[in-house]
């Protein structure tokens, strides 16, 4: 039984329910499709710093996977072309991915599902709660954060799941293209590195070492780079950190 797991905004091993759901396959192909530029709303493409951060996050994930005897296939193009072709090639019985919010993410997911000849399983995404835990219907979602926070107080967030200690091997005969190098230095205004380890180091420093969280209400609107807030957004956006973990 061969399966494919499609990484999107969950570039981590820890607290990744989707990846764990495919850990019992006989062979497992792990794939990431580099985001395509959308020229009708972005004339310049992905910025240099975002490209560097994403590349570093993928390298870190690939290295973590290799320690478990796995690897990461990073492809350019569109998922609805690559994933069906790979599924047919290895005889996959199912493809899985985490649920990512957003119009374009949903559009890509639906296109992949239509193109596949096997099921596309959707797994819990990078959220603190399941929709079933909400004390209101989705149409009654508060429009501001404070009413939402007040409504959710007293409801326990989901508990993070542990990282896998072993994974199925890749299918035989699969060739993994090398990740092209990105020779871009971090910006002096925001000198952060991609990957799980860098994100966890930021949590440790900001919360426990500097205890900056205690002054967050006074500094959150300062826009002072690493001094004003946790600055965890880049890691959360790519899923190198999960909201439940933080």
């Amino acid at each position: 039984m061969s399966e494919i797991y499609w990484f999107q905004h969950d570039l981590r091993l820890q607290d990744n329910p989707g990846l764990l759901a495919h850990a019992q396959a006989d062979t497992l192909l792990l794939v990431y499709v580099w985001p395509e530029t959308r020229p009708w709303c972005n004339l310049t493409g992905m910025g240099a710093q975002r490209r560097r951060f994403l590349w570093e996050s993928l390298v870190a994930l690939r290295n973590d996977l290799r320690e478990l005897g796995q690897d990461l296939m990073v492809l350019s193009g569109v998922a609805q072309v690559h994933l069906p072709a790979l599924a047919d090639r290895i005889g996959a019985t199912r493809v899985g991915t985490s649920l990512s919010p957003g119009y374009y993410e949903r559009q890509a997911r639906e296109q992949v599902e239509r193109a596949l000849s096997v099921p596309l399983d959707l797994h819990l995404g990078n959220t603190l709660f399941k929709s079933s835990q909400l004390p209101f219907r989705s149409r009654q979602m508060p429009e501001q954060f404070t009413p939402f926070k007040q409504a959710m107080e007293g409801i326990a967030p989901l508990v993070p799941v542990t990282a896998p200690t072993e994974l199925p091997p890749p299918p035989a005969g699969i060739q993994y293209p090398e990740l092209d190098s990105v020779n871009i230095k971090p910006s002096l205004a925001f000198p952060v590195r991609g990957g799980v380890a860098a994100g966890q180091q930021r949590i440790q420093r900001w919360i426990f070492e500097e205890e900056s969280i205690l002054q967050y209400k006074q500094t959150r609107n300062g826009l002072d780079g690493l001094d004003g807030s946790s600055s965890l957004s880049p890691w959360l956006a790519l899923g190198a950190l999960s909201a439940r973990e933080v």
Side-chain angles (χ1 to χ4, degrees):
M1 181 177 65
S2 295
E3 299 180 7
I4 295 175
Y5 186 72
W6 172 25
F7 282 99
Q8 294 191 79
H9 302 294
D10 57 340
L11 304 183
R12 63 185 185 276
L13 299 186
Q14 81 285 359
D15 195 27
N16 194 327
L19 179 61
L20 283 179
H22 294 265
Q24 303 304 315
D26 295 326
T27 62
L28 180 61
L29 180 60
L30 303 173
V31 180
Y32 180 84
V33 181
W34 190 275
E36 61 176 336
T37 299
R38 303 182 184 280
W40 54 89
C41 65
N42 185 346
L43 300 180
T44 60
M46 185 183 296
Q49 290 300 320
R50 183 183 173 195
R51 187 166 67 251
R52 172 193 59 79
F53 193 89
L54 173 56
W55 178 83
E56 291 172 349
S57 301
L58 292 170
V59 169
L61 175 60
R62 183 192 62 184
N63 291 340
D64 289 342
L65 289 169
R66 286 179 174 177
E67 291 184 5
L68 299 179
Q70 257 289 350
D71 211 327
L72 180 66
M73 179 177 287
V74 179
L75 301 171
S76 298
V78 289
Q80 63 264 32
V81 173
H82 288 302
L83 292 175
L86 288 170
D88 292 342
R89 178 181 171 187
I90 68 171
T93 56
R94 65 170 180 157
V95 177
T97 192
S98 66
L99 186 60
S100 298
Y103 172 79
Y104 292 115
E105 288 81 359
R106 183 184 66 194
Q107 187 179 60
R109 191 167 61 242
E110 291 174 349
Q111 291 171 343
V112 167
E113 191 169 20
R114 287 195 296 267
L116 284 171
S117 59
V118 295
L120 176 64
D121 291 350
L122 300 180
H123 304 286
L124 179 68
N126 195 4
T127 60
L128 281 176
F129 306 97
K130 291 182 179 179
S131 58
S132 59
Q133 294 179 273
L134 299 178
F136 40 74
R137 296 181 179 180
S138 58
R139 293 183 179 179
Q140 299 171 326
M141 179 80 71
E143 295 183 357
Q144 289 82 34
F145 172 71
T146 299
F148 173 82
K149 183 192 73 169
Q150 293 170 343
M152 297 302 295
E153 288 178 347
I155 300 177
L158 297 170
V159 178
V161 298
T162 58
T165 56
E166 58 182 2
L167 287 171
I174 291 294
Q175 299 294 321
Y176 290 85
E178 285 296 321
L179 272 170
D180 294 334
S181 297
V182 176
N183 297 315
I184 301 170
K185 294 181 179 180
S187 168
L188 294 177
F190 195 60
V192 297
R193 294 285 189 178
V196 171
Q200 291 175 337
Q201 289 169 5
R202 177 59 184 167
I203 292 176
Q204 179 67 27
R205 179 180 176 184
W206 190 73
I207 296 179
F208 300 106
E209 296 176 7
E210 299 176 348
E211 297 185 343
S212 298
I213 193 172
L214 300 178
Q215 292 82 40
Y216 175 65
K217 284 189 176 181
Q218 289 74 44
T219 62
R220 61 184 177 179
N221 295 324
L223 302 178
D224 295 328
L226 293 174
D227 296 326
S229 69
S230 70
S231 304
L232 294 176
S233 296
W235 293 283
L236 287 168
L238 293 182
L241 295 175
S242 80
R244 298 177 292 273
E245 177 185 9
V246 174

